[in-house]
Amino acid sequence: FSPDGRWWASTGEDGFLMLFPRAIAVAPMEAVGKPRPRRNDGIPVLVGSGPVPGLAFSPDGRYVATPRNNDHEDPAVVIWDVPELAANPTPPGPPTRTITGHSIPVLAVAFTADGTGVAGGGFDGMVRVWDPETGQERTTLGGPTRPV
């Protein structure tokens, strides 16, 4: 769920980020037996050709970040502008920012509490932190031990 409560999102093996308005989530959660959301209830955003293992909303809810792995090639963290996706859902435009730095698949993403950093953790055992506005790498944590 986005911090502002307006959106919820999911990712999966199909290479898509699905973005749903909160209203879609209310009915299935309030009553047993109600239908689950369908793909056409949300905004499908093609992230890449490989699985998308997670997502993170920025603290203000404006951005959502996902790993992009393209079947283990071209790993990156991609950041999407949520209001832009909502305003132009068909077809969604390119990501707001594509940040590279990992040499092998990215497994997790997170924003810092103040929204001034976005982190990606990968199979290389490294956590890289970038400025989400510029894509400039700020720091690298960890070492090549285990996937993050």
Side-chain angles (χ1 to χ4, degrees):
F1 286 90
S2 63
D4 61 8
R6 296 183 58 209
W7 300 94
W8 67 281
S10 67
T11 59
E13 296 290 317
D14 61 358
F16 278 88
L17 160 71
M18 291 296 298
L19 186 64
F20 297 90
R22 185 184 180 280
I24 299 293
V26 172
M29 291 182 173
E30 289 180 345
V32 175
K34 291 228 177 181
R36 293 184 354 187
R38 299 178 315 259
R39 174 174 224 105
N40 60 356
D41 289 334
I43 301 168
V45 181
L46 182 62
V47 177
S49 60
V52 183
L55 65 95
F57 279 99
S58 63
D60 62 3
R62 178 171 179 185
Y63 299 108
V64 62
T66 64
R68 183 196 70 204
N69 292 310
N70 288 339
D71 293 326
H72 304 292
E73 294 183 19
D74 191 28
V77 171
V78 291
I79 299 175
W80 307 88
D81 185 302
V82 174
E84 179 66 27
L85 289 174
N88 301 297
T90 312
T96 303
R97 179 139 350 273
T98 299
I99 303 172
T100 59
H102 285 280
S103 58
I104 55 179
V106 180
L107 299 174
V109 293
F111 279 92
T112 58
D114 63 3
T116 62
V118 63
F123 266 116
D124 57 3
M126 308 298 278
V127 175
R128 299 181 191 288
V129 182
W130 299 275
D131 181 316
E133 295 295 322
T134 66
Q136 199 70 17
E137 188 170 327
R138 289 192 175 159
T139 191
T140 301
L141 308 168
T145 56
R146 294 184 177 259
V148 177

Short mmCIF file of all heavy atoms in Angstrom, two decimals, residues 1 7-20 37 39 43-45 47 52-55 57 64 66:
data_model
loop_
_atom_site.label_atom_id
_atom_site.label_comp_id
_atom_site.label_asym_id
_atom_site.label_seq_id
_atom_site.Cartn_x
_atom_site.Cartn_y
_atom_site.Cartn_z
N PHE A 1 0.84 -1.18 0.00
CA PHE A 1 0.00 0.00 0.00
C PHE A 1 0.88 1.25 0.00
O PHE A 1 1.92 1.28 0.65
CB PHE A 1 -0.91 0.02 1.23
CG PHE A 1 -2.03 -0.96 1.13
CD1 PHE A 1 -1.89 -2.25 1.61
CD2 PHE A 1 -3.24 -0.60 0.55
CE1 PHE A 1 -2.92 -3.16 1.52
CE2 PHE A 1 -4.27 -1.50 0.45
CZ PHE A 1 -4.11 -2.79 0.94
N TRP A 7 -3.20 3.99 -3.14
CA TRP A 7 -2.85 2.95 -4.09
C TRP A 7 -2.36 1.69 -3.38
O TRP A 7 -1.85 1.75 -2.27
CB TRP A 7 -1.73 3.44 -5.02
CG TRP A 7 -2.10 4.64 -5.79
CD1 TRP A 7 -1.85 5.94 -5.46
CD2 TRP A 7 -2.83 4.67 -7.02
NE1 TRP A 7 -2.37 6.78 -6.41
CE2 TRP A 7 -2.98 6.02 -7.38
CE3 TRP A 7 -3.37 3.69 -7.84
CZ2 TRP A 7 -3.63 6.42 -8.53
CZ3 TRP A 7 -4.02 4.07 -8.99
CH2 TRP A 7 -4.15 5.43 -9.33
N TRP A 8 -2.49 0.58 -4.07
CA TRP A 8 -1.78 -0.63 -3.69
C TRP A 8 -1.23 -1.23 -4.96
O TRP A 8 -1.69 -0.93 -6.06
CB TRP A 8 -2.65 -1.59 -2.88
CG TRP A 8 -3.79 -2.23 -3.60
CD1 TRP A 8 -5.01 -1.65 -3.88
CD2 TRP A 8 -3.85 -3.55 -4.12
NE1 TRP A 8 -5.81 -2.55 -4.54
CE2 TRP A 8 -5.13 -3.73 -4.69
CE3 TRP A 8 -2.95 -4.62 -4.15
CZ2 TRP A 8 -5.52 -4.92 -5.30
CZ3 TRP A 8 -3.34 -5.80 -4.75
CH2 TRP A 8 -4.63 -5.94 -5.30
N ALA A 9 -0.20 -2.04 -4.81
CA ALA A 9 0.47 -2.56 -5.99
C ALA A 9 0.93 -3.99 -5.74
O ALA A 9 1.07 -4.43 -4.60
CB ALA A 9 1.66 -1.68 -6.34
N SER A 10 1.17 -4.69 -6.83
CA SER A 10 1.71 -6.04 -6.75
C SER A 10 2.67 -6.26 -7.91
O SER A 10 2.62 -5.56 -8.92
CB SER A 10 0.59 -7.08 -6.77
OG SER A 10 -0.05 -7.09 -8.04
N THR A 11 3.55 -7.22 -7.74
CA THR A 11 4.48 -7.62 -8.79
C THR A 11 4.50 -9.14 -8.84
O THR A 11 3.94 -9.80 -7.98
CB THR A 11 5.91 -7.11 -8.50
OG1 THR A 11 6.34 -7.65 -7.24
CG2 THR A 11 5.97 -5.60 -8.47
N GLY A 12 5.14 -9.69 -9.87
CA GLY A 12 5.17 -11.13 -9.96
C GLY A 12 6.11 -11.66 -11.01
O GLY A 12 6.95 -10.94 -11.55
N GLU A 13 5.91 -12.91 -11.33
CA GLU A 13 6.76 -13.63 -12.27
C GLU A 13 6.58 -13.17 -13.72
O GLU A 13 7.40 -13.48 -14.57
CB GLU A 13 6.48 -15.13 -12.18
CG GLU A 13 6.81 -15.74 -10.84
CD GLU A 13 8.30 -15.79 -10.60
OE1 GLU A 13 9.05 -16.15 -11.53
OE2 GLU A 13 8.73 -15.47 -9.49
N ASP A 14 5.49 -12.47 -14.02
CA ASP A 14 5.17 -12.13 -15.40
C ASP A 14 5.85 -10.86 -15.92
O ASP A 14 5.63 -10.45 -17.05
CB ASP A 14 3.66 -12.00 -15.57
CG ASP A 14 3.04 -10.90 -14.72
OD1 ASP A 14 3.77 -10.24 -13.95
OD2 ASP A 14 1.82 -10.73 -14.80
N GLY A 15 6.67 -10.21 -15.10
CA GLY A 15 7.38 -9.01 -15.54
C GLY A 15 6.58 -7.72 -15.38
O GLY A 15 7.02 -6.67 -15.84
N PHE A 16 5.42 -7.79 -14.73
CA PHE A 16 4.56 -6.61 -14.58
C PHE A 16 4.52 -6.10 -13.16
O PHE A 16 4.58 -6.86 -12.19
CB PHE A 16 3.12 -6.93 -15.00
CG PHE A 16 2.90 -6.88 -16.47
CD1 PHE A 16 3.11 -8.01 -17.25
CD2 PHE A 16 2.48 -5.72 -17.09
CE1 PHE A 16 2.91 -7.98 -18.62
CE2 PHE A 16 2.28 -5.67 -18.46
CZ PHE A 16 2.49 -6.80 -19.21
N LEU A 17 4.37 -4.78 -13.05
CA LEU A 17 3.94 -4.10 -11.84
C LEU A 17 2.46 -3.81 -12.08
O LEU A 17 2.10 -3.30 -13.14
CB LEU A 17 4.71 -2.78 -11.67
CG LEU A 17 4.08 -1.71 -10.77
CD1 LEU A 17 4.16 -2.13 -9.31
CD2 LEU A 17 4.79 -0.38 -10.98
N MET A 18 1.61 -4.16 -11.13
CA MET A 18 0.18 -3.83 -11.23
C MET A 18 -0.12 -2.78 -10.17
O MET A 18 0.17 -2.97 -8.99
CB MET A 18 -0.69 -5.06 -11.01
CG MET A 18 -0.60 -6.08 -12.11
SD MET A 18 -1.21 -5.48 -13.71
CE MET A 18 -2.91 -5.13 -13.34
N LEU A 19 -0.71 -1.67 -10.59
CA LEU A 19 -1.04 -0.57 -9.70
C LEU A 19 -2.55 -0.44 -9.64
O LEU A 19 -3.21 -0.35 -10.68
CB LEU A 19 -0.41 0.72 -10.24
CG LEU A 19 -0.51 1.96 -9.39
CD1 LEU A 19 0.26 1.79 -8.08
CD2 LEU A 19 0.02 3.17 -10.15
N PHE A 20 -3.11 -0.49 -8.43
CA PHE A 20 -4.56 -0.46 -8.23
C PHE A 20 -4.96 0.71 -7.35
O PHE A 20 -4.29 0.98 -6.35
CB PHE A 20 -5.03 -1.74 -7.53
CG PHE A 20 -4.81 -3.00 -8.30
CD1 PHE A 20 -3.64 -3.71 -8.15
CD2 PHE A 20 -5.77 -3.48 -9.17
CE1 PHE A 20 -3.42 -4.89 -8.83
CE2 PHE A 20 -5.57 -4.66 -9.86
CZ PHE A 20 -4.39 -5.37 -9.70
N PRO A 37 -9.46 -8.81 -7.12
CA PRO A 37 -9.18 -7.88 -8.23
C PRO A 37 -8.69 -8.64 -9.46
O PRO A 37 -8.01 -9.64 -9.36
CB PRO A 37 -8.08 -6.98 -7.68
CG PRO A 37 -8.12 -7.14 -6.22
CD PRO A 37 -8.67 -8.50 -5.95
N ARG A 39 -6.80 -8.36 -13.37
CA ARG A 39 -5.73 -7.60 -14.01
C ARG A 39 -6.27 -6.31 -14.65
O ARG A 39 -5.66 -5.27 -14.58
CB ARG A 39 -5.03 -8.46 -15.06
CG ARG A 39 -4.02 -7.70 -15.85
CD ARG A 39 -3.24 -8.61 -16.79
NE ARG A 39 -1.88 -8.22 -16.68
CZ ARG A 39 -0.93 -8.86 -16.05
NH1 ARG A 39 -1.18 -9.99 -15.49
NH2 ARG A 39 0.29 -8.41 -15.98
N ILE A 43 -3.67 -0.81 -13.31
CA ILE A 43 -2.81 -0.27 -14.36
C ILE A 43 -1.63 -1.23 -14.53
O ILE A 43 -0.78 -1.32 -13.63
CB ILE A 43 -2.31 1.14 -13.99
CG1 ILE A 43 -3.49 2.08 -13.77
CG2 ILE A 43 -1.37 1.67 -15.08
CD1 ILE A 43 -3.10 3.40 -13.14
N PRO A 44 -1.57 -1.97 -15.65
CA PRO A 44 -0.43 -2.86 -15.85
C PRO A 44 0.76 -2.09 -16.40
O PRO A 44 0.66 -1.35 -17.36
CB PRO A 44 -0.95 -3.87 -16.87
CG PRO A 44 -1.99 -3.12 -17.64
CD PRO A 44 -2.57 -2.09 -16.69
N VAL A 45 1.91 -2.28 -15.76
CA VAL A 45 3.13 -1.60 -16.18
C VAL A 45 4.18 -2.68 -16.45
O VAL A 45 4.59 -3.40 -15.54
CB VAL A 45 3.63 -0.65 -15.07
CG1 VAL A 45 4.90 0.06 -15.52
CG2 VAL A 45 2.55 0.35 -14.69
N VAL A 47 7.55 -4.00 -16.63
CA VAL A 47 8.85 -3.62 -16.07
C VAL A 47 9.97 -4.23 -16.89
O VAL A 47 10.96 -3.58 -17.19
CB VAL A 47 8.95 -4.07 -14.59
CG1 VAL A 47 10.33 -3.75 -14.03
CG2 VAL A 47 7.87 -3.39 -13.75
N VAL A 52 9.59 -9.82 -11.39
CA VAL A 52 9.74 -8.58 -10.62
C VAL A 52 9.53 -8.98 -9.15
O VAL A 52 8.40 -9.16 -8.71
CB VAL A 52 8.72 -7.51 -11.05
CG1 VAL A 52 8.95 -6.21 -10.29
CG2 VAL A 52 8.80 -7.27 -12.56
N PRO A 53 10.62 -9.14 -8.40
CA PRO A 53 10.51 -9.73 -7.06
C PRO A 53 10.00 -8.82 -5.96
O PRO A 53 9.84 -9.27 -4.83
CB PRO A 53 11.93 -10.19 -6.76
CG PRO A 53 12.80 -9.31 -7.57
CD PRO A 53 12.02 -8.97 -8.80
N GLY A 54 9.72 -7.57 -6.22
CA GLY A 54 9.22 -6.71 -5.16
C GLY A 54 9.02 -5.29 -5.62
O GLY A 54 9.24 -4.96 -6.78
N LEU A 55 8.59 -4.45 -4.69
CA LEU A 55 8.35 -3.04 -4.98
C LEU A 55 8.44 -2.25 -3.70
O LEU A 55 8.38 -2.81 -2.61
CB LEU A 55 6.98 -2.83 -5.63
CG LEU A 55 5.76 -3.17 -4.78
CD1 LEU A 55 5.21 -1.94 -4.08
CD2 LEU A 55 4.69 -3.78 -5.65
N PHE A 57 7.07 1.83 -2.30
CA PHE A 57 6.55 3.18 -2.52
C PHE A 57 7.47 4.17 -1.80
O PHE A 57 7.98 3.87 -0.72
CB PHE A 57 5.14 3.33 -1.95
CG PHE A 57 4.06 2.79 -2.83
CD1 PHE A 57 3.53 1.53 -2.60
CD2 PHE A 57 3.56 3.55 -3.88
CE1 PHE A 57 2.52 1.04 -3.40
CE2 PHE A 57 2.55 3.06 -4.69
CZ PHE A 57 2.03 1.80 -4.45
N VAL A 64 6.91 4.72 -7.14
CA VAL A 64 7.03 3.31 -6.80
C VAL A 64 8.26 2.79 -7.54
O VAL A 64 8.49 3.12 -8.70
CB VAL A 64 5.76 2.51 -7.14
CG1 VAL A 64 5.44 2.50 -8.62
CG2 VAL A 64 5.83 1.09 -6.59
N THR A 66 10.80 -0.60 -8.51
CA THR A 66 10.83 -2.04 -8.67
C THR A 66 12.20 -2.47 -9.19
O THR A 66 12.87 -1.69 -9.85
CB THR A 66 9.78 -2.55 -9.68
OG1 THR A 66 10.10 -2.03 -10.98
CG2 THR A 66 8.37 -2.15 -9.30
#
